[in-house]
Amino acid sequence: MKTIVIAGGSGFLGQVLENQLTKNGYTVLLLTRFPKKENDMYWDANTLGKWTIALENSEALINLTGKSVDCRYTDKNKKEIYDSRINATQILGKAILQCKQPPKIWMNASTATIYRHSIDKKMTEQNGEIGNDFSMNIAKAWEKEFNQFETHKTRKVILRTSIVLGKNGGALIPLKTLAKFGLGGNQGRGNQKVSFIHEEDFVRAVEFILNRPNLNGVFNVTVPNPTNNMILMKTIRKKIGMPFGISHPEWLLKIGAKIIGTETELVLKSRNVIPERLLQEGFSFKYPTIETTISNLLN
Ligand SMILES: NC(=O)c1ccc[n+]([C@@H]2O[C@H](COP(=O)([O-])OP(=O)(O)OC[C@H]3O[C@@H](n4cnc5c(N)ncnc54)[C@H](OP(=O)(O)O)[C@@H]3O)[C@@H](O)[C@H]2O)c1
């Protein structure tokens, strides 16, 4: 049986992947700091240990490890956001280099947030402009760490994933709650682009790359046509039958974010990212629009 190891696989995306990959016939092993299930293996995301055995002869290693960015960017949180990503990537690279039969492919999470705020310019893998704030610098350091490993028997892919919308996790849950209470209007001006992908298409894209041995390098994992915040919120309101939604100007969002312990960047940054390479390779999206995505997820 083919084994896929998911580091940081206990979270939202890891669980979506585990469910589908298991259904598709793979044995899935998860690397976690808090093992609970039979297929969980302990690691500290920082040092080599018994977990490295899991990588021998495996089909793939998918690394999703990272402290959630849905928090206040205090110095302590910033350090943890950085360390959790860089250290995990580094130790996985070292573990692969020690393997006799390393994984055939190593996919490492990155983020579509690596591209600068953009309303008009579409960011492709080739032409996208990478900026210089905290989040973008984290993403750059994360990819730099990954890119420094030369793994001759293991092809390497970077997943620059946009906001994943899912039934049981991710950004859609709080947005739906806001809409339910009549608070689901625009966030900020509402014209900021939203790059997103349905959880099912995220898994399909991962499997698409997994099954094509010629593919490596950077992939934007996101729908071909980003929506914007106003249309996203309108589509959610329509689907749940809420006739109105109070909007939140930027100043109010700033206060609210402080109270609930998050950052406004998560909703105000304009993400205009295009999956040029997936399209060139012939990947087709099951849920290419916000309407089909929301309609399926909030059913
Ligand atoms: N969700 C999205 O829309 C999205 C979009 C783009 C990129 N990404 C990236 O994709 C990855 C997975 O996303 P997700 O939504 O599945 O995240 P998640 O639910 O927060 O899960 C992340 C995993 O990382 C591990 N982790 C958390 N803090 C850690 C720390 N301080 N040290 C070591 N491990 C730690 C956790 O595993 P244990 O606690 O079990 O050890 C957890 O299962 C993240 O790196 C995220 O930045 C996500």
Side-chain angles (χ1 to χ4, degrees), residues 155-252:
R155 74 186 157 102
K156 289 165 64 197
V157 167
I158 290 177
L159 303 171
R160 287 186 185 161
T161 307
S162 65
I163 295 166
V164 182
L165 300 179
K167 279 202 166 104
N168 301 316
L172 186 57
I173 311 274
L175 294 179
K176 185 178 132 190
T177 308
L178 278 178
K180 249 188 182 165
F181 289 104
L183 299 171
N186 299 349
Q187 283 134 3
R189 294 178 65 185
N191 67 340
Q192 65 273 35
K193 292 275 184 188
V194 179
S195 286
F196 67 95
I197 186 168
H198 187 298
E199 57 186 357
E200 209 179 313
D201 276 335
F202 169 74
V203 180
R204 290 177 64 247
V206 167
E207 279 205 89
F208 181 90
I209 294 167
L210 189 68
N211 292 327
R212 281 166 183 73
N214 59 320
L215 299 185
N216 52 53
V218 174
F219 280 84
N220 290 344
V221 183
T222 184
V223 292
N225 294 302
T227 185
N228 69 30
N229 177 267
M230 186 176 66
I231 296 172
L232 167 69
M233 296 314 296
K234 199 166 143 188
T235 311
I236 295 174
R237 289 198 309 271
K238 194 169 161 204
K239 184 68 193 167
I240 65 169
M242 172 53 79
F244 67 93
I246 296 170
S247 292
H248 301 82
E250 214 172 309
W251 64 266
L252 185 60

Side-chain angles (χ1 to χ4, degrees), residues 8-14 31-34 43-45 64-69 80 84-85 109-112 142 161-164 170:
S10 64
F12 167 47
L13 296 185
L31 303 183
T32 165
R33 295 166 301 161
F34 311 105
W43 79 328
D44 64 2
L64 302 172
T65 309
K67 175 182 167 53
S68 171
V69 293
E80 208 179 323
S84 57
R85 285 170 175 75
S110 174
T111 169
W142 203 1
T161 307
S162 65
I163 295 166
V164 182

Side-chain angles (χ1 to χ4, degrees), residues 89-90 93-94 97 106 145-151 156:
T89 302
Q90 186 181 82
K94 285 184 179 162
L97 293 180
W106 174 16
E145 191 61 46
F146 179 72
N147 285 331
Q148 67 151 321
F149 288 99
E150 286 184 23
T151 55
K156 289 165 64 197

